[in-house]
Amino acid sequence: MDALVKRAFKYRFYPTETQATELSRTFGCVRKVYNLALHARTEAWKQHKERVGYDTTSALLTAWKRTEELAFLCEVSSVPLQQALRHLQTAFSNFWARRARHPRFKSRKRSHDSAEYTRSAFRWRDGKLTLAKMSEPLDIRWSRPLPEGAAPSTVTVSRDAAGRWFVSMLCEDPLVRPLPAAHSNVGIDVGLDHLLVLSTGEKVSNPRHEHRDRLALAKAQRALCRKQKGSRNRTKARIKVARVHARIANRRSDHLHKITTRLVRENQTLVIEDLAVSNMVGNHRLARAISDAGWRQFRQMLEYKAAWYGRDVVVVDRWCPSSKLCSVCGALAAKMPLHVRTWTCACGATRDRDVNAARNILAAGLAATVCGADVRPQRSTPGGQSVTKQKAPQRELRESVSLEERDGSQAITYLFSLVSSRFCAADSATQITQ
C-alpha cells in the first residue's frame, strides 16, 4: 500500500444561529437541485431513451439559477450544489451496474440532511474550519486529534434526526498501514443467541442494545402518537424518539468497531457467510432481533478494515450447509431445526451447532482460496451473463464454484475435510490435556 489511505474523521459541532440558518438553507437547496436533476434525467430516459450525464445537469443548474423562481439557489455556495449532482451521477452509475436500486427523490421530511464542501468552499487555518458564506469558524468539539500535518480534502456537514450537527473531514491518515502478516485464520458465524461464534470456539455475546432501551423507546413513541400533527410539541416528541434511536445506534456501532478491529488485527484471513439480511428480516418473529444485531454493518466494517490493514475477507456462499455438515467426518445431516443447538453425528462426535458452522465456514473459505475459486453466489443479467455480487478486498479469483454442483467440487470437499480434521485433532489434543 504505497498511497496513504483517506479516512473520515467525524466530530460534533455547535453552530451559531446565523450558521444554522445558512446551513439549513444550503440543505434545502441541495435537496432541490438533486430532485430537479433526478426528474430531468428520468424524463429524458422515459421520453427519448437518452442518458443524461453530469455535464448536462451542471449546465441545467446554471440555467435554473437564472430563472426567477429558482434564483434563491444563488444565495448559497455553489460547491454543495455541484457535489449533489456528482452524487446523483454516482447513484445512477451504481444503478446501471446493478449495484443499487434506481435513485429516489429526497423528501423534505427526511430526517438526515447533508452538504459536501470541497477545498474551494472552505478555509482550514490554524486548526479552525470556516465554510463558504460564513465569517466565523465552526465550534467543533475535538474528541480526537486529526493526523499530524493533515489537512481535509473534503468536508461534509450533516444534521441527524435528533437535531445534532456533525462535520466529517476526509484526510490522509499515515497511521493506516498494512499490519505484519498473521499466522492465524478464523471462520465467523453470526447469530442471535451469540452475536459471533468463531472457529476457535470463542463466542461473542449479543449485547441486544435495542432491547435494553425498548421501554424508553416505547414510552417516547407513545408520547409522539398523542401529539397533534404539525404542532411544536410533536416536533419535540419526535426529537426525543430520535435521541433514543441515536443512543442505540451509537452503542451498536461502538461495539462492532471494537470487535472488528480485534479480529482484523489477530487474523490474516477472515471467512464469513454471505447472508441476505434484507430477505431475513421478512421473518417478523426475528426481524427486530436481526436488525438489532447489525450483521450488515459488521460485514461492512470488516471489509474496509481488512482492506486498510492488508487482510483478506473471503465470503462463502449462503447455501453452504455449514450447520448440517459434521466438521469431523463430513457427514451431512438431513435436517437441522433452529432449536437444535447441539447434536451428535453418526461418527459419535457431539458438536456445538454454531462452533461447527464456524469451522465449516473457515474450511470452505480456505478450500476455495487454495483452489483459486470463489464460493460467493452469482446472479445473472437479462442477457444471460453471470455477474458476481461483490468482490472480496484484495482478491481476484477466477470464477464462482458451487460446493456441490461445479467442477472442482471434489478438490474443495477434500480440502474441506482436511481443514476440518485439523480442528478435530486440536479438539482431541485439548481433551487429552484436560
Side-chain angles (χ1 to χ4, degrees):
M1 187 182 298
D2 298 329
L4 294 178
V5 173
K6 287 190 175 182
R7 185 176 182 181
F9 293 83
K10 190 175 181 179
Y11 304 93
R12 188 172 180 181
F13 75 98
Y14 296 86
T16 62
E17 185 176 352
T18 303
Q19 291 174 341
T21 302
E22 177 64 27
L23 289 174
S24 298
R25 186 185 298 114
T26 302
F27 293 155
C29 292
V30 167
R31 181 178 62 250
K32 183 68 174 179
V33 169
Y34 187 94
N35 290 341
L36 287 173
L38 177 56
H39 176 73
R41 297 180 69 147
T42 304
E43 290 300 316
W45 177 256
K46 286 183 178 180
Q47 297 179 7
H48 308 290
K49 299 298 180 180
E50 178 185 359
R51 287 189 178 182
V52 176
Y54 165 76
D55 294 336
T56 304
T57 54
S58 181
L60 287 174
L61 175 59
T62 304
W64 292 334
K65 288 182 177 181
R66 294 173 180 172
T67 61
E68 182 178 357
E69 59 272 16
L70 297 177
F72 61 88
L73 296 177
C74 299
E75 299 176 1
V76 301
S77 174
S78 61
V79 173
L81 306 184
Q82 294 288 345
Q83 291 300 104
L85 298 180
R86 290 189 175 93
H87 294 164
L88 180 61
Q89 177 64 30
T90 302
F92 268 103
S93 298
N94 292 332
F95 169 69
W96 292 329
R98 297 181 178 271
R99 293 190 296 266
R101 297 180 179 178
H102 191 277
R104 296 182 298 177
F105 291 97
K106 295 182 181 293
S107 172
R108 181 178 298 180
K109 298 180 181 180
R110 188 180 179 183
S111 59
H112 181 83
D113 297 311
S114 65
E116 185 176 355
Y117 296 78
T118 57
R119 288 180 177 176
S120 61
F122 66 86
R123 182 173 68 252
W124 174 258
R125 186 177 300 170
D126 299 330
K128 294 183 178 180
L129 179 66
T130 306
L131 301 178
K133 302 288 185 178
M134 296 183 185
S135 58
E136 300 178 357
L138 299 181
D139 183 14
I140 301 176
R141 297 295 186 266
W142 299 99
S143 55
R144 55 176 175 170
L146 285 177
E148 185 176 356
S153 58
T154 60
V155 170
T156 302
V157 181
S158 59
R159 179 179 57 194
D160 66 359
R164 301 177 301 175
W165 296 84
F166 295 94
V167 57
S168 178
M169 290 176 276
L170 187 65
C171 307
E172 290 183 344
D173 191 354
L175 299 180
V176 178
R177 291 291 185 181
L179 296 173
H183 301 287
S184 59
N185 306 313
V186 66
I188 305 170
D189 180 58
V190 298
L192 296 178
D193 290 339
H194 296 87
L195 181 62
L196 303 176
V197 178
L198 309 183
S199 56
T200 58
E202 178 185 355
K203 296 184 178 182
V204 179
S205 61
N206 187 357
R208 302 180 187 274
H209 300 288
E210 187 271 339
H211 190 270
R212 291 169 55 186
D213 276 353
R214 186 166 296 180
L215 293 179
L217 181 60
K219 181 179 178 181
Q221 289 175 333
R222 284 197 299 268
L224 175 62
C225 292
R226 290 193 292 265
K227 301 298 185 291
Q228 183 179 358
K229 291 186 178 180
S231 64
R232 293 186 177 181
N233 285 336
R234 185 176 179 86
T235 301
K236 295 177 182 179
R238 182 191 59 77
I239 292 177
K240 289 183 179 180
V241 174
R243 286 176 178 172
V244 178
H245 280 295
R247 183 166 63 247
I248 295 171
N250 289 343
R251 286 205 302 259
R252 181 186 300 118
S253 178
D254 178 71
H255 184 63
L256 293 178
H257 270 298
K258 292 176 181 177
I259 294 175
T260 52
T261 299
R262 178 174 69 88
L263 291 175
V264 168
R265 286 177 177 175
E266 295 177 354
N267 302 279
Q268 181 63 38
T269 301
L270 304 100
V271 187
I272 59 177
E273 194 173 11
D274 181 69
L275 298 177
V277 179
S278 59
N279 295 339
M280 297 175 70
V281 294
N283 184 342
H284 299 295
R285 293 184 178 181
L286 301 176
R288 197 167 191 173
I290 292 174
S291 300
D292 189 24
W295 292 343
R296 181 60 184 172
Q297 187 179 7
F298 167 77
R299 175 173 172 175
Q300 290 175 341
M301 290 182 179
L302 202 66
E303 288 179 338
Y304 80 74
K305 290 181 182 180
W308 280 0
Y309 298 110
R311 305 309 198 200
D312 296 327
V313 174
V314 180
V315 183
V316 175
D317 190 347
R318 73 189 62 162
W319 303 113
C320 171
S322 57
S323 298
K324 298 190 294 183
L325 190 67
C326 178
S327 60
V328 177
C329 66
L332 185 64
K335 293 188 297 183
M336 188 66 61
L338 285 176
H339 68 272
V340 177
R341 309 316 302 175
T342 59
W343 56 286
T344 302
C345 180
C347 65
T350 300
R351 314 304 296 170
D352 181 279
R353 177 196 181 101
D354 299 325
V355 176
N356 178 75
R359 292 177 175 177
N360 287 333
I361 290 172
L362 175 61
L366 294 180
T369 302
V370 173
C371 293
D374 190 0
V375 292
R376 290 167 296 162
Q378 290 189 337
R379 56 185 174 85
S380 299
T381 62
Q385 296 180 350
S386 181
V387 178
T388 305
K389 291 181 64 177
Q390 186 172 1
K391 291 185 178 180
Q394 300 182 352
R395 188 172 297 279
E396 295 293 334
L397 300 177
R398 292 197 297 269
E399 61 177 343
S400 179
V401 178
S402 173
L403 286 177
E404 298 177 354
E405 300 177 357
R406 300 291 183 89
D407 293 336
S409 61
Q410 295 180 355
I412 292 181
T413 305
Y414 170 74
L415 291 172
F416 200 103
S417 303
L418 184 63
V419 179
S420 300
S421 63
R422 179 165 59 86
F423 284 116
C424 180
D427 286 349
S428 301
T430 303
Q431 294 177 0
I432 294 174
T433 304
Q434 293 176 350

